[in-house]
Structures are given as C-alpha cells and as structure tokens.
C-alpha cells in the first residue's frame, strides 16, 4: 500500500494532515506559506470559502512541501509523521464540530417570551469559553504531537 517507486510518486499524493490542520500542519513541516490561511479566513463573507480552497491546495501540495522543507530519515518515517498529523487533524475537526454543536444547543435554549438580550450574552460568553477550550485543546494536541515525534525519532 505504501510502496513508492520514487519520491515523485509520494509528492503527488494528497496530504490529509495539511488539508485538516492547515497552518498548524505547516508549522510542524516548516512550510510557512500555510500561515497565509490565518488572515485570509477573517475576510468578511468569503474568507471561509477562500480558507477552504487553501486547505484543498495545502492537501494537494502538502507532501511536496513537507519533503522539501523538512528532513526525514526514510519514507516510512515521513509516512508515520504525516499519519500522526492526519489523526490529530481529525481529532481537531471533530472537537470543533462538537463545540459548535454545543454552542448552537446553548443558543436554542429559551422559553416563549424569553429576553433575547440574555441569549446574546450567553452566546458571547459561550464563544469566549469555546475559544479558550479550543486553544487549550490545540496546545494539548501540540504537546501530544511533540511526544509522538520524539517516539518516532528514537
């Protein structure tokens, strides 16, 4: 399954870690061009679409960038490293979906005649809490990645 005749074959494969993690994947693979995704996603109305397009582009170019900018002992080490980042990417995306679901559930809880200014306060507070939780989860994930990388390299 992971037999590659040469590095060029490997460069042509889609990189799911780059697609799912975007700029975070770029930091771990010394591919700093992915940092462009951060400001682009804040463009009103179209930023999320452009960010999604960039994610697809990162997935297409990911293996080539990682092989150019980061040293790996072997193809097997490269594949292990990228597989770990892909698993982390899946974990981050699932966590985001769950947090957004919680936010929507909190915003939907209100009886008839409810003062919506309270709902607005709940939503703002929830967004702050969810942002903090997301940052903590990302820091935790980065620590896990570092530990896994130490295990791979030893």
């Amino acid at each position: 399954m992971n037999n590659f005749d040469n590095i060029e074959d490997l460069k042509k494969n889609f990189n799911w870690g780059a697609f799912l993690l975007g700029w975070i994947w770029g930091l771990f693979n010394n591919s700093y061009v992915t940092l462009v995704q951060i400001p682009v996603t804040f463009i009103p109305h179209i930023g999320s679409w452009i960010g999604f397009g960039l994610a697809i582009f990162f997935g297409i170019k990911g293996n080539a960038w990682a092989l150019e900018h980061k040293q790996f002992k072997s193809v097997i080490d490269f594949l292990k490293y990228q597989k770990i980042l892909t698993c982390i990417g899946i974990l981050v995306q699932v966590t985001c979906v769950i947090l957004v679901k919680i936010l929507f559930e909190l915003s939907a809880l209100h009886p008839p005649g409810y003062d919506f200014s309270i709902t607005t306060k709940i939503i703002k507070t929830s967004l702050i809490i969810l942002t903090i939780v997301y940052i903590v989860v990302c820091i935790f994930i980065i620590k896990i990645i570092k530990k896994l990388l130490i295990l791979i390299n030893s």
Side-chain angles (χ1 to χ4, degrees), residues 13-148:
N13 284 349
F14 192 83
N15 188 308
W16 285 99
F19 172 74
L20 294 169
L21 289 174
W23 62 271
I24 296 170
W25 174 92
L27 290 176
F28 282 100
N29 286 280
N30 302 331
S31 301
Y32 302 112
V33 68
T34 58
L35 293 173
V36 73
Q37 190 178 33
I38 297 171
V40 165
T41 56
F42 290 104
I43 298 172
H45 308 293
I46 60 169
S48 58
W49 291 104
I50 295 172
F52 182 69
L54 284 172
I56 292 170
F57 181 68
F58 297 162
I60 292 168
K61 298 294 287 180
N63 284 346
W65 287 342
L67 288 166
E68 283 176 29
H69 299 118
K70 191 164 180 71
Q71 296 296 317
F72 295 96
K73 294 178 185 174
S74 68
V75 172
I76 301 294
D77 284 345
F78 171 79
L79 293 172
K80 284 181 186 177
Y81 187 81
Q82 297 307 320
K83 186 174 184 177
I84 289 169
L85 291 176
T86 299
C87 291
I88 298 298
I90 292 168
L91 179 65
V92 167
Q93 296 302 322
V94 168
T95 302
C96 287
V97 168
I98 291 169
L99 293 176
V100 168
K101 172 72 172 146
I102 291 169
L103 175 64
F104 281 122
E105 292 296 326
L106 286 174
S107 67
L109 296 175
H110 59 289
Y114 186 75
D115 180 7
F116 284 99
S117 65
I118 295 173
T119 301
T120 304
K121 290 176 187 175
I122 291 173
I123 291 172
K124 287 180 181 178
T125 305
S126 299
L127 280 173
I128 292 168
I129 292 169
L130 291 176
T131 302
I132 292 168
V133 169
Y134 183 72
I135 291 169
V136 169
V137 167
C138 286
I139 291 169
F140 179 71
I141 287 169
I142 289 169
K143 287 183 178 185
I144 290 172
I145 290 172
K146 286 181 179 179
K147 287 180 181 180
L148 289 172

